[in-house]
Amino acid sequence: MPELPEVHGYKTYIDATSLHKRITSIDCRDTRLLKQPLKDFETHLIDQTLTSTHRIGKYLFIETSGEKVLVLHFGMTGRPNYYKDPNERPKFGHLVLSFDNGFHFAFENKRKFGWWNLTDSIEEFKAEHRLSDDARELSLEDFMRSIEGRKTDIKKIIMDQSVAAGVGNWMADEILYQAKIHPSKRLEQMTSIEIEAVFKAMKNVIEVAIENDAHYSDFPEHFMMHFRKEGATCFHTGAEIEKIKVGGRTTYFSPKWQVLGD
DNA sequence: CGTTATGTTTCACT
DNA sequence: CAGTGAAACATAAC
């Protein structure tokens, strides 16, 4: 379930398990997960080691002892899995790196929307993909600058990876619930106070989610993740949560708490 | 069987 | 160029 906090956890996991071990082989069951030919990955990764990781939004960059940087995106259903016994290869571990210590790193991807790529530099990749700074690091000034003049729904704005890298669908709903802002509120109709409230809520949701290892049931009780579903009721108002579409994505909000105004 | 799902990219229109 | 809505990608789970 990878949005920023989940990928943060994956980074910690990979740092603790998979660095500084010589890569002996790559097993790819489905090359659709690779943005470049398998041969390229083998050329650049075999006999090398993973040396460090950097996360920007939902993207994880893994530097290697070779020339290239490995880029991972987990899609909607990806996660890493480090294991020893080959029989423990996860069902959806379509892509596996094996290390000289006998352990394996599986890139699990049930729905195959995740992928691997190779890049020369993180900065280059970031520019090519118009990726903003990570939402956790982003300054209010940069945030305000990048949304200036935009005319669309606030939810679409905060989910735009060129505005704040890392905010996905559940986080956007949570952020707007915490900020008491209707997801369809047009940016051009918002006051700077409201926009700042959204920014602060974004920062808070990220920190709370990371503190709790993205484990939703451990979130504070006033967090929407506990009632982000049809038929559930809002913690603050007791009113029923509504489900709508915003920017093509399913959106949950509390109509009495997040009032659209006129 | 039909619907839905945490994401990104592309494309045809306004 | 900015924004919109839909489609495409692929597949499990309800």
Side-chain angles (χ1 to χ4, degrees):
Chain A
M1 311 162 200
E3 294 185 26
L4 187 157
E6 288 91 347
V7 180
H8 175 90
Y10 298 166
K11 170 179 157 59
T12 305
Y13 179 82
I14 291 168
D15 287 348
T17 58
S18 304
L19 302 186
H20 314 302
K21 298 166 175 80
R22 190 171 61 85
I23 297 164
T24 53
S25 65
I26 302 175
D27 182 4
C28 178
R29 277 185 188 159
D30 191 333
T31 53
R32 288 174 299 188
L33 292 167
L34 299 176
K35 294 276 191 185
Q36 293 175 42
L38 175 58
K39 190 163 55 67
D40 292 352
F41 287 86
E42 287 173 339
T43 302
H44 291 286
L45 296 177
I46 302 277
D47 286 334
Q48 305 294 340
T49 62
L50 307 178
T51 55
S52 63
T53 61
H54 308 275
R55 185 189 56 74
I56 302 177
K58 307 166 197 173
Y59 296 78
L60 191 64
F61 299 88
I62 307 183
E63 300 211 67
T64 71
S65 55
E67 290 168 3
K68 296 282 187 177
V69 179
L70 183 60
V71 189
L72 271 57
H73 194 290
F74 295 90
M76 280 175 135
T77 55
R79 63 178 182 189
N81 190 334
Y82 183 77
Y83 62 99
K84 183 163 193 183
D85 184 349
N87 297 319
E88 286 172 26
R89 178 173 180 160
K91 186 176 175 192
F92 303 110
H94 305 301
L95 210 37
V96 175
L97 290 183
S98 295
F99 300 115
D100 64 355
N101 66 350
F103 279 77
H104 312 276
F105 169 82
F107 181 75
E108 284 192 52
N109 227 277
K110 204 185 324 193
R111 216 172 135 196
K112 296 184 181 173
F113 278 1
W115 46 258
W116 286 12
N117 202 348
L118 293 168
T119 188
D120 290 320
S121 85
I122 296 174
E123 282 310 311
E124 183 184 296
F125 185 92
K126 207 179 155 199
E128 269 176 19
H129 293 260
R130 277 190 239 93
L131 190 59
S132 158
D133 287 342
D134 185 72
R136 197 182 184 199
E137 318 288 337
L138 187 68
S139 70
L140 177 62
E141 292 69 35
D142 286 343
F143 177 74
M144 296 303 267
R145 205 171 300 133
S146 70
I147 67 176
E148 195 182 354
R150 295 284 300 271
K151 290 177 172 38
T152 190
D153 304 336
I154 183 63
K155 178 167 177 180
K156 283 195 74 174
I157 296 281
I158 60 174
M159 283 185 69
D160 183 338
Q161 301 301 297
S162 70
V163 168
V167 178
N169 202 31
W170 76 252
M171 276 183 71
D173 285 358
E174 187 67 77
I175 289 164
L176 296 172
Y177 179 76
Q178 296 303 323
K180 281 186 80 170
I181 301 290
H182 192 292
S184 299
K185 182 103 180 178
R186 305 285 298 189
L187 181 68
E188 67 269 32
Q189 290 179 346
M190 290 174 64
T191 65
S192 54
I193 303 282
E194 288 174 323
I195 296 171
E196 223 166 294
V198 170
F199 180 82
K200 283 182 185 159
M202 176 176 83
K203 294 288 188 176
N204 182 243
V205 169
I206 290 169
E207 292 311 317
V208 167
I210 286 177
E211 276 167 27
N212 291 289
D213 299 320
H215 202 282
Y216 309 147
S217 58
D218 291 341
F219 288 4
E221 58 179 354
H222 64 287
F223 265 52
M224 193 194 218
M225 288 309 276
H226 297 298
F227 42 90
R228 187 179 177 272
K229 55 193 166 195
E230 275 184 287
T233 52
C234 170
F235 175 84
H236 297 288
T237 67
E240 200 162 314
I241 295 297
E242 273 188 29
K243 179 177 152 181
I244 57 175
K245 287 271 182 194
V246 179
R249 303 299 298 275
T250 300
T251 299
Y252 295 89
F253 76 106
S254 173
K256 288 189 180 154
W257 182 248
Q258 299 157 273
V259 178
L260 189 52
D262 46 284

